[in-house]
Amino acid sequence: MQANTIFNKALILLFAFFAMSSTALAGKVVLKFKVVDENDIRIANVEIKVYKGNNLFHTELTRVGKAKIGLPTGEYYTVEIAHKGRVTKRIIVDTRSEDGLFGSYDYHFYVELDRSEVYNGYAKADDFLDYPVTLIEFDPNEMELDYNATYMRSTRLHKQQMMTDELALSLR
């Protein structure tokens, strides 16, 4: 009977050790960013929503146009940045890694919110604006969190193509 009690206590201690170890191995990503206008002036009262999967994970209203948000690793997030009269932007943050081990990282960036009227008259603007502007993910070659340059180029090209197509239509 006493051997069972000792075994049970050892099992509980072993389980607690593994639970704490896996928590210690899990990292954290801290996003630090400023929200600016076309003149690089910070925009106050910006609403920020963070979704983990499709569920709202975090929301805040910035007072001075900057934010600092901590995200547990091993997840896929969408950060939505909105301000009245400006185009809402979305950023994908992928904190998963192939080996499951992910350190702690601070990632600094700027988000420029365009005025809504910039896209007035563009028939395909909603299609373009609905997509995230960038993808931030772990780069195993650099061993750091970074934006995906291929994705960013593709969104830039898509915007240029949309504007070129609209210009060609207006000249007909």
Side-chain angles (χ1 to χ4, degrees):
M1 185 75 145
Q2 191 175 16
N4 269 348
T5 306
I6 293 172
F7 176 76
N8 287 342
K9 286 181 181 179
L11 192 59
I12 290 170
L13 285 173
L14 189 60
F15 176 76
F17 171 76
F18 281 117
M20 288 189 305
S21 296
S22 65
T23 302
L25 291 175
K28 183 177 178 182
V29 170
V30 178
L31 301 177
K32 296 178 181 180
F33 59 97
K34 294 179 182 173
V35 182
V36 298
D37 65 12
E38 59 281 353
N39 298 312
D40 289 330
I41 297 171
R42 281 193 268 169
I43 302 171
N45 300 317
V46 174
E47 182 180 30
I48 299 168
K49 292 180 180 177
V50 180
Y51 296 87
K52 182 163 92 173
N54 291 325
N55 301 313
L56 186 61
F57 173 76
H58 173 84
T59 185
E60 72 178 67
L61 184 68
T62 69
R63 298 209 189 303
V64 293
K66 65 180 182 176
K68 179 180 176 181
I69 301 170
L71 304 173
T73 59
E75 300 290 341
Y76 190 82
Y77 301 93
T78 302
V79 180
E80 187 176 272
I81 303 156
H83 186 272
K84 187 176 181 176
R86 300 204 174 257
V87 174
T88 298
K89 295 215 175 160
R90 289 170 194 82
I91 298 168
I92 299 298
V93 182
D94 185 355
T95 65
R96 301 170 298 176
S97 66
E98 288 180 20
D99 59 10
L101 301 176
F102 200 104
S104 292
Y105 298 92
D106 286 357
Y107 190 75
H108 302 257
F109 60 99
Y110 283 79
V111 176
E112 182 179 323
L113 292 185
D114 301 323
R115 292 186 182 280
S116 297
E117 65 260 14
V118 169
Y119 295 96
N120 287 349
Y122 289 101
K124 295 181 181 180
D126 287 342
D127 293 341
F128 164 73
L129 296 173
D130 203 33
Y131 287 95
V133 292
T134 195
L135 166 63
I136 300 169
E137 61 189 349
F138 185 73
D139 181 346
N141 296 326
E142 299 293 327
M143 295 300 291
E144 64 185 13
L145 206 60
D146 204 357
Y147 72 96
N148 182 306
T150 303
Y151 183 90
M152 192 118 159
R153 267 191 301 279
S154 120
T155 59
R156 194 176 308 126
L157 289 172
H158 188 84
K159 178 181 177 181
Q160 289 169 347
Q161 187 63 51
M162 176 197 67
M163 292 180 155
T164 301
D165 291 349
E166 290 288 332
L167 179 62
L169 284 175
S170 70
L171 294 175
R172 288 183 183 179

